[in-house]
Amino acid sequence: MSRKHAYLIEAHKDDYTFRSLLRMLDYEFNDIFIHMDKKNVSFSLEEVSGLVEKSRIYFTERTSVVWGGYSQINAELLLLKKATETDCYAYYHLLSGEDLPIKKQSYIHDFFAKHSGTEFVRFEKEIFECSNRVRYYYWLQEKTGRKSNFWSKAIKCIQIVLRVNRNRKVIFQKGANWFSITDNLARYVVAKEPWIKRVFHDTVCCDEVFLQTLIINSEYKNNLTKDVFDDSNEMFMRLIDWQRGKPYIFKLCDLNEIKESPMLFARKFSSEVDVDIIDSVVKLYAE
């Protein structure tokens, strides 16, 4: 098994945060895989490739990703397929282009070496409370995104009247879509793509459901970090604040909180909101 890690980045902006993230991941034992949303017409593969010196950088097929659509799951699968076809990695970390590591890469690698075989995936409550996401067909989701329209509402109302329940035989779970998983689980997910597509195509917001559902119905549920349903940041080692935002965007005044956190990664950051916190994190944790 390689001691290298694969960083899978799902991004839609080639901005200061994204480029800072790449520089922080530039480490001899990292390979970086990028899915950049196809809607970003100004993105330059050559220019971005030049930002790293120690890591190898790869790009997936570019697709248009829509909020809540299957296209979000598909982007993650494209990243996992590209990475598993490239090498066997100790861990695969899914990040957004608005995330940053908040520990040095040597520390992160040591952490996962000490917890080798553990799957870092966050689960919420034991009882799945978002059944509408998987019960009905959302045929227009890739067109409507966050904004529903008359037809999408009408289609759902008809299904409610008809008592549609398309996935009644599946045990579902929900959590965060970001993860750090082993090579074995990464390859298991890729192998299950036909099932994933059959069950989750034309659902809504199931990038937060499909991986947890796969795990809870497999032997990999025995490899999770702790009590499965405690909905804690420790389950996936990411500092995310949903109390102050959706999620909260960190600012320079939060630097001490970041420094004191035992988490390995944090989201989210925006150079449009506060570029100083990005520069400070880079200064602290770049190798």
Side-chain angles (χ1 to χ4, degrees):
M1 172 65 68
S2 171
R3 62 178 292 190
K4 297 186 73 172
H5 287 204
Y7 279 94
L8 318 177
I9 304 176
E10 190 176 347
H12 65 278
K13 293 189 293 185
D14 176 10
D15 61 359
Y16 191 78
T17 312
F18 171 73
R19 293 185 173 220
S20 299
L21 170 63
L22 293 185
R23 293 187 181 100
M24 294 186 74
L25 297 179
D26 189 14
Y27 184 65
E28 61 181 322
F29 297 114
N30 291 340
D31 284 346
I32 301 170
F33 298 82
I34 298 173
H35 178 280
M36 179 60 71
D37 196 305
K38 193 175 182 178
K39 294 188 289 295
N40 186 336
V41 296
S42 62
F43 180 65
S44 168
L45 276 66
E46 294 76 14
E47 186 176 343
V48 168
S49 296
L51 296 174
V52 299
E53 298 177 353
K54 301 174 185 177
S55 297
R56 294 183 298 177
I57 192 165
Y58 301 89
F59 301 91
T60 69
E61 169 196 351
R62 294 181 62 193
T63 62
S64 180
V65 177
V66 176
W67 181 90
Y70 184 79
S71 54
Q72 289 190 291
I73 296 175
N74 185 62
E76 295 181 32
L77 291 173
L78 285 171
L79 286 163
L80 282 168
K81 284 190 288 185
K82 185 72 172 180
T84 53
E85 289 167 0
T86 300
D87 206 339
C88 295
Y89 296 96
Y91 273 89
Y92 299 71
H93 310 283
L94 180 67
L95 303 176
S96 84
E98 297 172 313
D99 298 358
L100 294 176
I102 55 171
K103 294 288 185 291
K104 289 181 177 290
Q105 285 300 309
S106 56
Y107 181 99
I108 292 173
H109 278 251
D110 287 345
F111 175 90
F112 285 104
K114 292 175 182 176
H115 295 85
S116 180
T118 301
E119 310 296 349
F120 291 86
V121 181
R122 181 175 174 177
F123 284 70
E124 291 186 2
K125 300 177 181 178
E126 185 171 4
I127 299 175
F128 181 64
E129 296 180 344
C130 300
S131 59
N132 283 355
R133 296 190 186 192
V134 295
R135 181 187 297 268
Y136 307 118
Y137 292 91
Y138 295 84
W139 289 298
L140 300 179
Q141 187 61 35
E142 295 291 348
K143 297 184 180 297
T144 61
R146 292 179 183 270
K147 299 178 181 179
S148 61
N149 59 25
F150 169 79
W151 291 110
S152 59
K153 292 177 181 178
I155 290 169
K156 183 176 179 180
C157 286
I158 291 170
Q159 293 182 83
I160 292 173
V161 171
L162 295 176
R163 297 184 179 180
V164 170
N165 188 355
R166 58 181 287 194
N167 285 315
R168 69 182 67 205
K169 294 183 179 180
V170 179
I171 299 172
F172 291 97
Q173 289 296 337
K174 177 180 175 293
N177 54 330
W178 316 110
F179 57 73
S180 294
I181 61 175
T182 64
D183 184 72
N184 286 338
L185 179 52
R187 293 178 187 279
Y188 176 76
V189 174
V190 169
K192 297 291 286 186
E193 182 179 11
W195 182 86
I196 294 169
K197 187 171 184 178
R198 184 174 69 251
V199 172
F200 294 103
H201 205 277
D202 297 317
T203 56
V204 62
C205 295
C206 279
D207 56 316
E208 300 175 334
V209 178
F210 86 97
L211 181 60
Q212 284 78 4
T213 299
L214 272 180
I215 291 173
I216 211 67
N217 289 285
S218 76
E219 62 184 18
Y220 292 98
K221 65 184 177 182
N222 300 318
N223 299 340
L224 295 164
T225 56
K226 52 190 298 186
D227 181 26
V228 174
F229 304 107
D230 72 349
D231 195 22
S232 69
N233 284 338
E234 286 77 7
M235 288 201 72
F236 66 161
M237 296 306 292
R238 283 150 173 83
L239 178 62
I240 304 177
D241 185 348
W242 286 97
Q243 302 302 313
R244 293 181 288 173
K246 296 184 178 181
Y248 174 70
I249 298 173
F250 288 105
K251 303 176 182 65
L252 187 59
C253 60
D254 303 305
L255 184 59
N256 282 338
E257 177 187 353
I258 291 171
K259 289 168 62 176
E260 294 171 3
S261 173
M263 300 299 105
L264 304 178
F265 311 100
R267 76 180 310 264
K268 91 185 198 182
F269 298 88
S270 170
S271 56
E272 297 176 0
V273 173
D274 192 331
V275 71
D276 291 333
I277 183 61
I278 297 171
D279 289 339
S280 296
V281 170
V282 170
K283 184 177 180 180
L284 280 171
Y285 300 113
E287 287 291 337

